Amino acid sequence: QVQLVESGGGLVQDGGSLRLSCAASERTTSNYAVGWFRQAQGKSREFVAAIDRSGGTTDYADSVTGRFSISRDNAKNTVYLQMNSLKPEDTAVYYCAATYYISTAPLRQRSEYVYWGQGTQVTVSR
């Protein structure tokens, strides 16, 4: 059982930056794909970014491409989401998710992930 804990959320002004962290409870190096999703109030949970098990391949939703960057430090069992040029429409609860996946490809679908964190709130004010 892998436990994931997100941190780094908060309140930021339009155009600001935040870095979210997703810490895993056990060694996830090499064998787990990780993704970030978000859910705004009244909306369904949507894909934000994903990274393959090695960190060599990443994928982003069109809405965040060029502004967000996903990375991982397998030695620390942590995946990061650097968010720059934040907009009010980025306001949501952000979740990280992980799944055992040995292919070197990031995963975009919610259904592909087995383990989920509790989420961290990101609020971008105008």
Side-chain angles (χ1 to χ4, degrees), residues 30-80:
S30 300
N31 294 327
Y32 285 80
V34 177
W36 284 96
F37 292 77
R38 67 187 181 186
Q39 187 166 14
Q41 192 170 8
K43 297 187 178 181
S44 59
R45 194 170 299 187
E46 65 176 5
F47 169 75
V48 175
I51 191 166
D52 77 328
R53 61 186 180 94
S54 69
T57 306
T58 57
D59 191 18
Y60 298 92
D62 290 345
S63 60
V64 306
T65 297
R67 301 187 298 122
F68 291 12
S69 177
I70 188 171
S71 62
R72 66 190 298 162
D73 184 341
N74 285 340
K76 296 182 178 179
N77 296 333
T78 301
V79 173
Y80 305 98

Side-chain angles (χ1 to χ4, degrees), residues 29-33 52-54 99-105 107:
T29 56
S30 300
N31 294 327
Y32 285 80
D52 77 328
R53 61 186 180 94
S54 69
T99 194
Y100 182 85
Y101 192 66
I102 62 174
S103 174
T104 54
L107 303 175

